[in-house]
């Protein structure tokens, strides 16, 4: 066995990882160094996206749903990935549990950060 001098070894694809990582680091630094300008820029970008592309997002989502249904009911839906004799690694109940738990985890992850921010940005009026 070959010994490595590196503490960690990662098989990272340069053009996949580094451009997005650099953009993330630049965005974080930009938000720390220029917070007001960063928030204004992001708000304008979000407003432009929602104003100009919201109908497009809806149509693309609808088209993808139709495409999935057509694929499911067409002969392409019968194609087994891995060949005719391929067997699934897990039974359907296990796949269902994985999808269910993943969906719940995404909701918890999203609301774990979104709800406190929502309460911070829009506090409840306690004067009743």
């Amino acid at each position: 066995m070959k010994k490595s001098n590196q503490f960690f070894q990662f098989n990272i694809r340069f053009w996949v990882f580094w451009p997005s990582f650099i953009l993330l680091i630049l965005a974080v630094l930009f938000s720390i160094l220029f917070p007001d300008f960063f928030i204004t820029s992001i708000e304008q970008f979000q407003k432009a996206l929602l104003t100009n592309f919201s109908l497009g997002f809806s149509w693309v989502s609808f088209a993808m749903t139709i495409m999935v249904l057509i694929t499911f009911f067409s002969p392409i839906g019968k194609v087994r990935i891995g060949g005719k004799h391929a067997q699934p690694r897990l039974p359907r109940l296990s796949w269902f549990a994985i999808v269910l738990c993943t969906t719940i985890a995404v909701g918890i992850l999203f609301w774990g950060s979104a709800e406190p921010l929502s309460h911070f940005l829009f506090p409840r009026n306690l004067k009743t």
Side-chain angles (χ1 to χ4, degrees), residues 24 32 35-36 41 44 48 50 52 54 56 62 92-94 97 100 112 117 119-123 125-126:
L24 174 67
I32 292 170
D36 295 332
S41 301
Q44 289 175 350
L50 292 175
N52 298 319
S54 62
F62 180 68
R92 288 188 189 264
L93 184 61
S94 295
L100 179 66
L117 287 172
H119 289 298
F120 176 74
L121 294 173
F122 307 105
N125 187 0
L126 296 176

Side-chain angles (χ1 to χ4, degrees), residues 46-54:
Q46 181 186 20
K47 185 177 180 181
L49 274 176
L50 292 175
T51 302
N52 298 319
F53 297 107
S54 62

Side-chain angles (χ1 to χ4, degrees), residues 3-41:
K3 243 185 173 178
S4 174
N5 294 333
Q6 294 179 346
F7 187 68
F8 291 110
Q9 285 187 344
F10 296 107
N11 186 12
I12 297 175
R13 295 182 185 175
F14 182 84
W15 291 108
V16 175
F17 175 76
W18 287 108
S20 58
F21 182 72
I22 289 169
L23 282 173
L24 174 67
I25 296 302
L26 288 175
V28 168
L29 288 174
F30 194 60
S31 69
I32 292 170
L33 298 175
F34 309 105
D36 295 332
F37 183 71
F38 180 76
I39 290 171
T40 306
S41 301

Side-chain angles (χ1 to χ4, degrees), residues 97-113:
I98 290 169
V99 170
L100 179 66
C101 291
T102 303
T103 306
I104 292 170
V106 167
I108 291 170
L109 183 65
F110 174 77
W111 281 112
S113 60

